[in-house]
């Protein structure tokens, strides 16, 4: 036997890329809610529209601030003029909704017919007087959450590069908003300034629900670290200032393009840290930021221990159990690392795309966690092949499979527990406070089973003889 | 380009996939970018399928854009053939492949050389057809393929079955109440002494298609799906088809009389009048309902109807002809088949509305202020906004429109179900209205179950702001828990930090 039981380093593989995930245009669903004065225009076909309509479910009926610019045959064959068509629709949007920014989402079709969205946008922007941000969030290049990455990377170029002193052109548009903001800011500053350590400005990037933004901001405040801004902010008009030399840190593992843009285009310094998912991740995230600013973190030991103590009833349910990530949203590495810390064994981490540089600190923490928990190092499968994965699942019989909805019901019918992966994207999972919410999701199928265990109904498909 | 928030019929490939995955042991391979396999999610979630949806993607990515699919599509077909041994693989083009203009025909031919099963290319253009048209075409294409194949091999079944028999054409996966309709139709045929020769595509094997020629007639219950196939079979084998949807008492009777006529013309000598009479008067409750006081109260009430051709036309006729309800307008989103709809409903409503624009439909509802709406999920939401009850009668639909209980729309049991649906929509509206007139039966103010009124606790501005971000239905609980937490620890003031500390402590 030449095969060693425990490989020494993480094992990276790459399969065929035939896996199920959401189209990256789905990012409009959470981004239009996050950026309150935005309007998202997805320039694509009926296929894109059908996906959005069905994937967003009830949100569609709430008069969302997004729409399809549905391409017709005349657009494809260039019988119609792209610029004129987009102008007509954008004026309609301006009239009906008057947003502070229109985000154009480029799709597979605009890529293939080579619509020059980046070229058209500045021209149209100056003509209609509303900023137009272009993000090419298409299924040819990206998966699911990477859509947010393309939007934030584009937004990063719109962040003001100087603290607002006298920017004549912009201040005209938002005179009133600024006046209101000014009053608010002054109040905050007055009461807060003394509580912070003196450190270079820090801007965090990644779209999170407002309560989570508050929680993470407060968490850093306890260490005397001031968060100067978030990309994205609640409103497009409140995008943070990014000067050369500012520090930036990501809160989500799928933001590699945004990180690259911040470093290369905006000359910011990236703090490469594990992501604040799970108490272990949150602690490591804070520690890394502190270390960059030369701050000795206070009270993190107790804080982490206290959170773990509060999780024990859930951890008890999963300790010693195994989990298989089929991979579809790029949160997989951080989640796996947290679940290993909870005492689970991870068979496989499927992931659509693995940026080993952006996720370096997270990967290192994963490796360290495995060693400390004496758990075998999982295989990391980039661009997985769902068919092959199903064969491995049948063989390994994991206690839990984290997967998309296409596979969840069929696996359940075969007696395999599943948790729908998309829920992790929409639930609040960051920081100390929300660690319990992750486990609430992870343990749900196991708790359901405890309730139903004596019924003998685990396998609900008819076995047919294989030919 | 057009600005669109909502569409009634999906893109063409959805239609093809619905047909392919309705058949047993047929696999569809989409030529599409990552993420276009959303169909699998819909099938797995909406119809709660226990089996994996037999649809995979031959992924179109940057490499395909640069160099063409080359071997990729062929390899994927051959691989799937070896893994799952399907009888047929349907290569499904999408909007993306429509503009790439790769020679998918050629891929199919090459794959066919290696694959054991059959391989075909669905002949649907994304920019010309919608979901329903594509489904109709694909079904026809598959039937033609297998009839011709059987003919070439001399395996085509000769002559008709001994007893009168029928092919039921058009029930599919993800169709509105299709599985229940299917059961009801089979039951109806059994009651009429007619054998079901084949039932396609849901649950059928492509190997059964060669015996379609043996049926005495074809029944196409849905206007949108199956007519092309039925016309092909008529042209090939002279098999007559019946396209009267047996939905509602009158239409069901009309359908049965037509069946009688068609099979008697072939020498069956059946007489269904007594059956129709018995069912109408005693099995279905719909005729009796029309006479009852309940229905009398509905006389002249205003309703609007919107949906696909089949359901919107049938419901309009039921409302007007069988219940005396005033249908102000009836509409369809099947623009491509608008003439048929107009002809069907013109005499039963004041106005006909043909549109794919949900905004226009919404405005038309607001304009006439009906007492009830019968439409799709979109109209249900318009109804919510305008405070008008809505019965859902057609796709697009949500998971609640895939009931587990037996709820056909067709046949005699279907008439009972539709009666409930209609009556419940109207009475709910009436009840609501009466409550409003008499000031409601409940006080609107809810008495708070707070801890104490003279709270010594002070919520700071940021604390209050955070609290307001918490969804309304749990806010009260969070507030109480936080105040309890603060009181226990002796905090005088509750700010955001205290709020979240409480959350961590309580685990709520």
């Amino acid at each position: 036997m030449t095969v060693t039981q425990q490989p020494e380093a993480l094992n990276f593989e790459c399969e065929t890329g035939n896996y199920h995930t959401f189209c990256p245009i789905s990012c409009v669903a959470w981004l239009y809610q996050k950026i309150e004065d935005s309007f998202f225009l997805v320039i694509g076909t009926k296929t894109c529209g059908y996906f959005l309509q069905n994937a967003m479910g009830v949100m569609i009926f709430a008069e969302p601030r997004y729409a399809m610019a549905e391409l017709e045959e005349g657009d494809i064959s260039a019988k119609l003029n792209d610029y004129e068509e987009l102008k007509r629709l954008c004026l309609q949007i301006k009239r009906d909704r008057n947003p502070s920014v229109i985000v154009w989402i480029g799709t597979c079709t605009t890529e293939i017919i080579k619509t020059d969205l980046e070229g058209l946008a500045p021209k149209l922007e100056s003509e209609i007087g509303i900023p137009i941000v272009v993000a090419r969030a298409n299924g040819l290049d990206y998966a699911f959450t990477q859509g947010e990455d393309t939007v934030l990377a584009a937004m990063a170029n719109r962040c003001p590069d100087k603290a607002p002193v006298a920017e004549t052109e912009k201040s005209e548009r938002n005179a009133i908003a600024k006046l209101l903001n000014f009053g608010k800011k002054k109040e905050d500053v007055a009461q807060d300034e003394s509580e912070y350590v003196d450190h270079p400005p820090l801007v965090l990037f990644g779209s999170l629900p407002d309560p989570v933004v508050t929680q993470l901001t407060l968490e850093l405040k306890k260490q005397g670290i001031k968060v100067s801004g978030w990309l994205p902010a609640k409103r497009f008009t409140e995008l943070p200032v990014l000067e050369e030399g500012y520090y930036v840190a990501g809160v989500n593992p799928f933001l590699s393009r945004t990180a690259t843009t911040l470093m290369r285009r905006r000359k910011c310094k990236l703090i490469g840290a594990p992501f604040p998912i799970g108490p272990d991740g949150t602690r490591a995230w804070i520690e890394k930021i502190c270390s960059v600013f030369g701050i000795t973190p206070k009270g993190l030991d107790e804080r982490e221990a206290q959170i773990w103590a509060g999780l024990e009833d859930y951890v008890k349910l999963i300790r010693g159990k195994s989990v298989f990530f089929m991979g579809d949203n790029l949160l997989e590495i951080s989640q796996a690392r947290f679940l290993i810390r909870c005492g689970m064994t991870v068979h496989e981490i499927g992931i659509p795309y693995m940026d080993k540089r952006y996720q370096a600190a997270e990967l290192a923490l994963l490796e360290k966690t495995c060693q400390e928990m004496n758990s075998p190092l999982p295989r990391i499968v980039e661009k997985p092949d769902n068919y092959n994965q199903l064969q491995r699942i049948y063989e390994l019989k994991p206690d839990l499979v984290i997967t998309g909805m296409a596979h969840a019901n069929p696996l359940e019918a075969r007696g395999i527990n599943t948790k729908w992966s998309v829920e992790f994207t929409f639930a609040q999972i960051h920081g100390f406070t929300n660690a319990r919410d992750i486990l609430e999701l992870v343990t749900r199928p196991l708790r359901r089973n405890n309730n139903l265990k004596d019924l003998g109904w685990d396998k609900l498909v008819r076995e047919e003889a294989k030919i | 380009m057009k600005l669109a928030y909502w569409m009634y019929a999906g893109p063409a490939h959805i239609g093809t996939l619905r047909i392919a995955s309705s058949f047993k042991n047929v696999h569809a391979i989409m030529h599409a970018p990552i993420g276009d396999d959303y169909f699998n999610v819909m099938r797995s979630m909406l119809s709660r399928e226990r089996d994996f949806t037999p649809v995979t993607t031959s992924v179109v990515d940057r490499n395909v854009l640069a160099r063409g699919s080359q071997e990729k599509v062929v390899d994927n077909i051959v691989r799937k053939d070896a893994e799952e041994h399907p009888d047929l693989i349907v290569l499904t083009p999408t909007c993306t492949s429509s503009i790439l203009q790769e020679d998918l025909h050629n891929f199919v031919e090459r794959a066919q050389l290696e694959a054991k099963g059959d391989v075909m290319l669905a002949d649907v253009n994304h920019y010309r057809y919608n979901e329903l048209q594509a489904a109709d075409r694909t079904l026809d294409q598959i039937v033609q393929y297998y009839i011709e194949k059987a003919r070439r091999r001399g395996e085509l079944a000769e002559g008709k079955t001994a007893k009168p028999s029928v092919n039921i054409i058009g029930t599919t996966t993800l169709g509105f109440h299709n599985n229940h309709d299917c059961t009801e139709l089979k039951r109806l045929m059994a009651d009429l002494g007619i054998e079901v020769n084949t039932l396609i595509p849901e649950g059928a094997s492509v190997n059964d298609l060669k015996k379609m020629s043996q049926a005495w007639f074809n029944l196409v219950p849905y206007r949108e799906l199956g007519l092309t196939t039925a016309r092909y079979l008529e042209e090939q084998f002279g098999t007559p088809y019946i396209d009267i949807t047996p939905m509602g008492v009158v239409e069901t009777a009309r359908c049965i009389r037509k069946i009688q006529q068609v099979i008697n013309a072939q020498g069956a000598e059946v007489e269904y009048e007594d059956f129709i009479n018995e069912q109408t008067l005693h099995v279905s409750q719909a005729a009796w309902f029309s006479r009852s006081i309940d229905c009398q109260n509905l006389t002249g009430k205003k309703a609007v109807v919107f949906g696909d051709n089949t359901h919107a036309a049938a419901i309009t006729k039921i409302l007007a002809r069988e219940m005396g309800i005033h249908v102000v307008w009836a509409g369809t989103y099947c623009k491509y088949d608008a003439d048929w709809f107009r002809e069907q409903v013109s005499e039963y409503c004041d106005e006909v509305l043909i549109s794919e624009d949900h905004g226009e439909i919404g405005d038309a509802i607001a304009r006439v202020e009906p007492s009830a709406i019968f439409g799709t999920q979109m109209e249900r939401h318009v109804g919510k906004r305008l405070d008008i009850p809505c019965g859902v009668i057609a796709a697009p639909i949500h998971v609640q429109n895939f009931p587990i209980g037996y709820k056909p729309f067709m046949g005699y049991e279907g008439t009972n179900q539709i009666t409930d649906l209609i009556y419940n929509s109207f009475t709910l509206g009436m009840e609501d209205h009466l409550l409003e007139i008499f000031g409601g039966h409940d006080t609107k103010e809810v008495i708070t179950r707070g801890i104490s009124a003279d709270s010594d606790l002070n919520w700071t501005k940021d604390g209050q702001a955070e609290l307001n971000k918490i969804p309304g239905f749990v806010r009260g609980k969070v507030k109480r828990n936080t105040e309890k937490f603060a009181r226990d620890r002796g905090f005088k003031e509750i700010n955001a930090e205290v709020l979240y500390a409480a959350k961590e402590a309580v685990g709520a």
Side-chain angles (χ1 to χ4, degrees), chain B residues 319-484:
Chain B
L319 289 169
R321 190 164 59 187
E322 298 179 17
M323 296 186 177
I325 289 161
H326 176 195
V327 181
V328 186
W329 57 258
T332 178
Y333 54 81
C334 298
K335 257 175 134 168
Y336 63 94
D337 196 18
D339 293 343
W340 179 86
F341 186 76
R342 248 189 224 103
E343 181 218 309
Q344 292 289 309
V345 303
S346 295
E347 58 175 305
Y348 301 108
C349 58
D350 303 348
E351 194 190 329
V352 176
L353 188 58
I354 312 287
S355 174
E356 290 175 323
D357 176 0
H358 78 276
E360 195 184 337
I361 309 299
D363 290 347
I365 294 172
R367 173 165 49 85
V368 304
E369 292 182 36
S371 311
I373 307 166
F374 298 93
T376 71
Q377 278 291 338
M378 192 37 130
E379 284 66 51
R380 191 172 75 85
H381 283 268
V382 172
K384 263 189 182 168
R385 201 175 305 163
L386 301 174
D387 255 336
I388 302 170
C390 177
V392 174
I393 55 148
I397 38 184
H398 286 332
V399 67
Q400 68 264 40
N401 304 114
F402 289 87
I404 297 172
Y406 186 52
K407 292 209 160 42
F409 270 58
M410 289 188 179
Y412 287 107
E413 178 53 28
T415 63
N416 293 338
Q417 297 292 337
I418 294 172
T419 303
D420 279 344
L421 178 77
I422 293 173
Y423 183 62
N424 290 344
S425 302
F426 277 106
T427 39
L428 288 178
M430 273 302 285
E431 235 169 73
D432 221 41
H433 188 59
L434 287 175
L435 283 176
E436 205 152 278
I437 290 174
F438 295 113
H441 53 51
D442 208 351
T443 49
K444 283 196 175 151
E445 291 299 314
V446 178
I447 299 144
T448 344
R449 286 169 297 167
I451 307 174
S452 71
D454 54 340
S455 171
D456 49 343
L457 291 162
N458 192 9
W459 285 78
T460 65
K461 225 162 81 190
D462 68 323
Q464 191 64 47
E466 284 306 306
L467 183 67
N468 288 339
K469 285 180 198 162
I470 291 159
F473 61 96
V474 287
R475 199 179 297 145
K477 184 182 158 209
V478 171
K479 184 162 188 260
R480 278 196 300 280
N481 285 344
T482 309
E483 289 183 349
K484 183 168 181 300

Side-chain angles (χ1 to χ4, degrees), chain A residues 276-335:
Chain A
I277 292 170
D280 49 340
T282 308
R283 182 206 173 131
W285 184 71
I286 297 172
E287 276 178 343
K288 183 64 193 280
I289 295 174
C290 285
S291 81
V292 169
F293 293 144
I295 298 169
T296 317
K298 317 180 277 265
L300 278 181
D301 274 337
E302 304 86 73
R303 184 115 171 83
E304 196 194 344
Q306 181 198 346
I307 296 291
W308 280 113
L311 298 178
E312 182 53 29
D313 55 337
Y314 275 173
V315 172
K316 216 162 54 194
L317 290 171
I318 51 172
R319 196 173 281 136
K321 298 237 159 56
S322 63
V323 57
F324 189 110
F325 288 86
M326 288 187 79
D328 73 343
N329 59 14
L330 283 92
L331 295 171
E332 292 87 1
I333 303 283
S334 313
Q335 279 181 352

